[in-house]
Structure formats: structure tokens, C-alpha cells
Amino acid sequence: MEITRGGQFLVKETKCEDIFTPEDFSEEQIMMRDSVKEFVDKEIWPNKDRFEHKDYAFTEEMMRKAGEMGFLSVAVPEAYGGMGMGFVDTCLVCDYISGATGSFSTAFGAHTGIGTMPITLYGTEEQKQKYVPKLASGEWFGAYCLTEPGAGSDANSGKTKAVLSADGKSYSITGQKMWISNAGFCSVFIVFARIEDDKNITGFIIENDAANGITMNEEEHKLGIRASSTRQVFFNETKVPVENMLAGRGEGFKIAMNALNVGRIKLAAACLDAQRRVTSNAVNYANERIQFNTPIAQFGAIRYKLAEMATSAYAGESATYRAAKDIETRIKLREAEGTSHQEAELKGVEEFAIECSILKVAVSEDVQNCADEGIQIYGGMGFSEDTPMESAWRDARIARIYEGTNEINRMLSVGMLIKKAMKGHVDLLGPASKVQEELMGIPSFDTPDYSELFAEEKEMIGKLKKAFLMVAGGAVQKYGMDLDAHQQLLMAAADMLIEIYMAESTLLRTEKMAKAQGEDKVKEQIAMAKLYLYKAVDIINQKGKESIISFAEGDEQRMMLMGLRRFTKYTNMPNIVGLRETITTKLVAENSYCF
């Protein structure tokens, strides 16, 4: 199996044998998944209304139970009381534990991700021995204090100060932090503060002790995730021993950014089971709700929605587990070379930071659309608190904001790709100039042989990559390093990039299944892969056109628009209504999301 680098999916063809899919879970992974599902179905789902009524104590109680079950320790190395499982297992637990309510999934994510992980990945041996076992067991909970009233997306602009004591033994921390998840019941904070006039912030581990100048505001009243504890935290000359500095002085910004990379792919995973549950509930309701003497599941307008909801969930799974396995492979490779677990995990995730940003954007937007359509299928009932749809919709909304807004992540995905190209980690310039040459040449008018499954679709993915290279390459040629200032072009390029990764992942997963099980066994999945690609082509066409007509003129513009038409043209158009019918027929018959 070939080892890929982050961002390389764009310039090379990936074979379906080289990607990992949910159908490849091991027996251990399936057992893990089932025990998480059982926990959620028994403890969390039946108590949904307690979360909606802001029962913070209940969230904490469920977190303790999750700790007893070992779910908080999946990613923690065995040396510190964890299970030391792989990156795919981490995403799997995060996926299935997060589907019932955003309140619990936020508490879980904040604790295991940004609350525990910075110590696991950046802590000294003493720090890890002292804190990680308690965090892994759920005896203690963690919180992460980065955001301030004046420092949101610009995370490095925080004003919280850290002043070294005269004897050089401790720092005194003063400042205000906001939107701190788990603040109400945490034992330890990861706090970012600035020492003197340092360019970058520094991270500290601070135990939660009210006697040490730590105070909090009341719980925030939020649109969604209502029972996740969210408070402002004030530090007033809070003393922290120098040995509690995390990594080195001025390294806080790096810690924050790397913690967010891991957080992004885990956030994508955390939005998957929510989509499965919303889709299943919507199918159940559509089968039971009778109008005009017919279950509404038989009406085309409803079938359209169900097919689209299932397809987005399937695509999200395909891409998330593909990237998770790529990261895991990279981590294991570095460990085999003798790198420490800490370094291997950091570098493994950093390598695929582009994919992490892509997934964060795509899956957070899909879960919102899914919940929105879920409400619509329920009609007036969907708007009522008596059904689970309105809380799913409210909870989904935060996913587009935290772990870096989707706007920031869109710009990051393209920005990081261009940086990788400049460093020579991904050869974009070669393929981009080949596309230029191809535009000058005469297109082939041969009728290709598309008899094999997905032959035309795979060719289409190749053409979509060319469309991206043409548009992004043109923008880079025109603006060079000033491209950062042209955010609307970056956003459009990001949408093209996102659709390529998602469509390709969905196609490869389905091709792998078809080879293993036979095409007739996976005709619904084949329909989903084709439907997703069709919509991706549309988006790429639209965003590509918007970019070209905004930065190119005259002959260059005409040439690129012609290229875009060529790169987004099907030889054989799919029957979109037919594809949706295939998908919905199966959903309605199984009465749940069954892929």
C-alpha cells in the first residue's frame, strides 16, 4: 500500500485498494463501536430532554460513566492509563458517542481532545504522569482556555498575561477567557497567556482552584448544546509553578493550531452519527405519517430529501475514515522509524491538516442541512420540542463555528496546499502547467470505453482536479503571495477542493465495496456515489466560473471558461431522479439509515 502525503490526492490517482473504509473495520473496532452505541442508546438518547433542560450535573454524571467505560481513554497511551488505541479507533468512538446530543458530544470532545490531548502531545514526562491518568479515567475533567473577548479567529492576539515571579519559581496569570467548554466541572485548564511582549502566546496547565484567583461567570445561555457547560473564566494573579508551562515559551500558538487540526477531523467524525440518527428518524416518520391516504415516504418531494440526507452522511463517512486511516498510517510509520509517540502523532496529523480542514467544513455543513431537512419532513411537528429534530438542528449550528470557523478553514485548506507546493511537498506546479498545455491542445474526440464500473466517474474526478489546478493556478499566477488578500477567490477554490476530496472518497469506497461484494449487492451505494459526484460537478462548475470571470479577462478568460466546460462535461449524464429513487427505496424498506 502506497503511503500518501497530505494534499496529494489532488495530483495523483488514488486506487480504491489504497483507502480505508468503514467496511474495513476490524472485529475489535466493531465491538468498540457496538459498546459505544449501546452506552448512547441506553444512557444518553432516552434522557435527551434532560440535556435540553440544561441539566449540567447530568452531563457531568454521563461523562463519569463514559470514563468508567474507558471511552475517555481511547487515544491516551497505555503508559498513562489509557487504551493506546489507533487514530481510527479514536475517530470511531468520537463518531458514535456524539450522535444523540450535542451537549454531551461537546463535553466529550472538549475533554478528550483539547482538554487532555495537549498534555499527552506536548507535556513533559512529569506532567503526563501527574495529569493524564486522572483525565483518562474521568476522575478529573479538562477544559481549554484560548478564546478571549478580543481574540476569536485571531487566536494569537490574546491579552491574558503571564508574569514571572521575582524568585523565578512561578508565573502569575491574569486575564479573561470566554466560551470555555466544561468550565463548570473541570479540574484542570489548559490556559494560553503572553509572557512580556512575546510574539506568540505560551501554554500553561492550571488546576482549577477558586482560592487561586480563578472566578467564573454564570453558565451561558446558548442556541444549542444547552447542557454543555460554557462559562467565562477570569484569572486574577493566578499562580502557576514554572514546571506547569506546556512545551516551551512562545510555543502556545503552535500547540493551539495543532490541537485544532486533530479537533477538526474529530469534529467531522462527531457529526456523522447525528446524520445517521436524523436520517433514520426522518425515514421512520415519513413511513408512519399518512397524508392523502398515503405515507409521505411515497411522495417524490420527500424521497428527494431522504436520498440527499443519506448521500451526504455516506460521503462524510467515506472521507472521514479515509483521512483517519491515512493519519494513522503516517503515525505508525514515524513510530516505526523510532520517533516518540508524541512527535509521531503531531507530525502525522499535521501532514493531513488540509484534509482535516476539508472534512470540518464539509461534514459540519452537511449535518446542518440534514437536520434542517429532518425538520421539514416532520413538518409542524419538527418545529416542536416534542420531537428530536429541533434540538438536532440547534446543536448542529455550532459545528460551523468552533475548531476554527468554516470561513477560516476554507482559506486554510487552500493556503496550506499552496504552502506545501512552495515547499515541494506536493507538486502542484507541474500538473498545473500540464493543464495549461492541454488547454492549448486539441481535445480528443474518441469515444472512450466506459463499460467498467465508474470508468466515466473516475475520469470525471481527474477532470475536476484539472479544473481546480487551472483556476487556483491562474489565481496564484495573477496574485502570487498576495492571494491571501483575495478571500472570495480562496473560498471559491476551497469549495472546489472540498468537493473533489469528498466525491473521490465516496467513489473509491463504493468501488472497493463493489469489488468485494459484487455490484448488484451495492447498487444503492453506487447510486449515492454517482449522485454525490453529479452535485460536486455542479458546484465546481459554478465556483470555477465565478473565480475565472473575477480574475481573468479577454482571451485568458475565454480560454479558461472553455477549459472549465471541458473539465465538467459528462459524456453520459446520470439519471438523477432515478438515482435518488434507488437510494430512497432501500431507506424506506429498511426504515432507517442502512448503509
Side-chain angles (χ1 to χ4, degrees):
M1 185 167 154
E2 200 177 345
I3 303 291
T4 55
R5 297 199 71 142
Q8 262 186 350
F9 71 89
L10 193 60
V11 290
K12 48 185 285 219
E13 192 183 340
T14 306
K15 293 190 163 50
C16 71
E17 292 77 15
D18 289 341
I19 72 156
F20 180 85
T21 74
E23 289 70 43
D24 298 323
F25 289 146
S26 66
E27 275 180 35
E28 285 85 1
Q29 285 168 330
I30 289 168
M31 278 166 61
M32 190 70 180
R33 179 192 70 189
D34 291 347
S35 69
V36 173
K37 276 167 78 169
E38 190 186 341
F39 169 73
V40 172
D41 287 334
K42 197 168 109 211
E43 303 283 356
I44 308 236
W45 186 260
N47 293 304
K48 234 174 127 60
D49 58 332
R50 292 184 69 174
F51 292 104
E52 293 316 307
H53 289 102
K54 305 185 183 180
D55 190 339
Y56 302 107
F58 186 64
T59 301
E60 184 181 354
E61 185 190 324
M62 287 302 105
M63 283 290 288
R64 295 216 184 277
K65 278 201 169 151
E68 285 159 22
M69 302 282 292
F71 299 147
L72 304 180
S73 71
V74 176
V76 173
E78 290 178 46
Y80 311 106
M83 292 192 187
M85 292 168 95
F87 199 80
V88 172
D89 300 292
T90 304
C91 289
L92 183 66
V93 171
C94 191
D95 171 352
Y96 282 91
I97 210 161
S98 302
T101 163
S103 297
F104 181 78
S105 78
T106 300
F108 177 85
H111 170 75
T112 55
I114 49 183
T116 305
M117 194 181 54
I119 307 178
T120 317
L121 296 186
Y122 286 98
T124 61
E125 190 53 38
E126 292 72 38
Q127 288 169 346
K128 288 189 287 190
Q129 294 285 3
K130 182 174 181 184
Y131 294 109
V132 177
K134 287 180 173 165
L135 291 165
S137 67
E139 180 188 339
W140 279 20
F141 294 117
Y144 177 87
C145 301
L146 176 63
T147 306
E148 298 184 14
S153 295
D154 183 5
N156 202 28
S157 65
K159 304 267 185 290
T160 298
K161 282 280 175 210
V163 180
L164 190 61
S165 60
D167 62 8
K169 285 186 176 167
S170 65
Y171 281 94
S172 171
I173 311 278
T174 302
Q176 175 186 2
K177 297 289 182 178
M178 69 191 301
W179 310 129
I180 307 308
S181 295
N182 295 355
F185 60 83
C186 77
S187 324
V188 65
F189 295 105
I190 310 285
V191 181
F192 295 91
R194 195 176 308 278
I195 301 172
E196 293 169 353
D197 291 323
D198 287 1
K199 177 171 173 267
N200 289 325
I201 51 183
T202 300
F204 295 91
I205 304 168
I206 301 183
E207 293 179 29
N208 186 4
D209 173 8
N212 188 14
I214 300 175
T215 52
M216 289 182 207
N217 271 9
E218 287 302 299
E219 291 286 354
E220 300 284 353
H221 297 289
K222 308 183 295 292
L223 171 71
I225 58 170
R226 288 184 170 173
S228 89
S229 172
T230 313
R231 293 183 169 192
Q232 290 195 35
V233 182
F234 300 89
F235 298 96
N236 184 11
E237 297 191 0
T238 300
K239 299 281 175 287
V240 52
V242 289
E243 58 267 24
N244 273 30
M245 183 189 286
L246 198 53
R249 175 171 174 171
E251 304 229 322
F253 187 59
K254 189 175 80 180
I255 297 174
M257 292 304 101
N258 282 324
L260 287 173
N261 284 334
V262 185
R264 282 167 186 151
I265 183 167
K266 287 171 76 175
L267 180 62
C271 293
L272 295 175
D273 196 49
Q275 289 182 76
R276 293 186 204 103
R277 282 174 187 266
V278 167
T279 305
S280 291
N281 273 296
V283 177
N284 299 162
Y285 188 81
N287 273 330
E288 285 165 20
R289 173 74 170 163
I290 308 289
Q291 288 294 285
F292 311 105
N293 297 326
T294 310
I296 64 169
Q298 297 308 317
F299 294 126
I302 301 294
R303 294 172 81 80
Y304 170 107
K305 294 180 190 305
L306 294 172
E308 296 286 345
M309 290 158 78
T311 299
S312 291
Y314 178 73
E317 286 175 356
S318 308
T320 302
Y321 285 104
R322 172 190 184 180
K325 183 61 170 185
D326 282 342
I327 291 170
E328 181 171 288
T329 304
R330 201 85 192 159
I331 293 169
K332 285 182 174 159
L333 192 74
R334 284 187 173 267
E335 286 183 327
E337 289 166 357
T339 313
S340 72
H341 171 76
Q342 281 170 291
E343 186 69 8
E345 184 139 334
L346 277 170
K347 290 290 183 224
V349 175
E350 205 177 321
E351 177 65 56
F352 289 94
I354 294 167
E355 286 80 353
C356 292
S357 280
I358 286 174
L359 287 163
K360 192 273 177 182
V361 174
V363 188
S364 67
E365 292 180 2
D366 284 343
V367 73
Q368 184 86 60
N369 293 336
C370 183
D372 198 69
E373 292 288 41
I375 288 181
Q376 198 68 13
I377 289 168
Y378 270 67
M381 284 306 294
F383 205 71
S384 162
E385 288 190 359
D386 294 339
T387 62
M389 285 300 166
E390 62 87 38
S391 63
W393 186 85
R394 286 185 290 97
D395 284 352
R397 188 60 188 84
I398 187 62
R400 283 152 56 198
I401 297 170
Y402 56 24
E403 307 288 353
T405 66
N406 284 11
E407 290 69 26
I408 291 276
N409 274 291
R410 278 187 162 87
M411 290 184 286
L412 268 177
S413 61
V414 178
M416 290 188 291
L417 187 64
I418 292 167
K419 279 202 186 83
K420 276 200 155 198
M422 303 283 183
K423 284 185 182 166
H425 291 178
V426 175
D427 176 20
L428 286 187
L429 301 173
S433 54
K434 276 207 188 80
V435 174
Q436 293 297 95
E437 283 166 33
E438 188 177 327
L439 288 179
M440 299 297 189
I442 296 165
S444 153
F445 293 106
D446 301 343
T447 312
D449 171 19
Y450 289 142
S451 53
E452 226 176 82
L453 176 69
F454 291 150
E456 179 167 7
E457 286 77 9
K458 278 161 51 180
E459 185 182 281
M460 184 62 101
I461 295 274
K463 291 195 297 191
L464 296 179
K465 291 176 183 180
K466 287 177 185 174
F468 174 85
L469 289 166
M470 175 182 76
V471 173
V476 170
Q477 265 176 335
K478 173 145 190 187
Y479 298 113
M481 295 315 283
D482 292 338
L483 187 58
D484 279 2
H486 298 270
Q487 291 193 347
Q488 294 191 41
L489 291 177
L490 280 175
M491 304 270 285
D495 282 334
M496 297 173 79
L497 188 65
I498 288 165
E499 291 307 324
I500 289 166
Y501 189 71
M502 301 301 288
E504 181 182 67
S505 302
T506 310
L507 208 62
L508 291 173
R509 173 188 182 182
T510 310
E511 185 189 10
K512 192 173 184 180
M513 285 168 81
K515 284 184 174 176
Q517 301 175 30
E519 288 177 38
D520 52 329
K521 293 271 199 306
V522 293
K523 60 179 194 293
E524 294 82 12
Q525 285 89 338
I526 291 171
M528 288 194 281
K530 289 182 174 180
L531 176 61
Y532 193 94
L533 177 64
Y534 176 80
K535 299 193 73 171
V537 171
D538 248 6
I539 292 168
I540 287 168
N541 197 4
Q542 181 203 342
K543 299 292 178 178
K545 183 175 167 186
E546 186 184 303
S547 301
I548 293 164
I549 60 180
S550 300
F551 74 76
E553 291 166 342
D555 283 348
E556 186 194 11
Q557 187 191 91
R558 276 193 292 279
M559 186 70 131
M560 289 176 91
L561 287 173
M562 188 188 76
L564 185 66
R565 278 196 296 276
R566 194 193 294 179
F567 295 144
T568 53
K569 184 170 177 285
Y570 276 93
T571 306
N572 307 290
M573 285 281 195
N575 172 349
I576 293 302
V577 172
L579 294 177
R580 288 198 194 103
E581 272 303 304
T582 299
I583 299 160
T584 311
T585 301
K586 171 94 165 169
L587 282 171
V588 167
E590 300 276 343
N591 202 21
S592 74
Y593 177 84
C594 50
F595 307 110

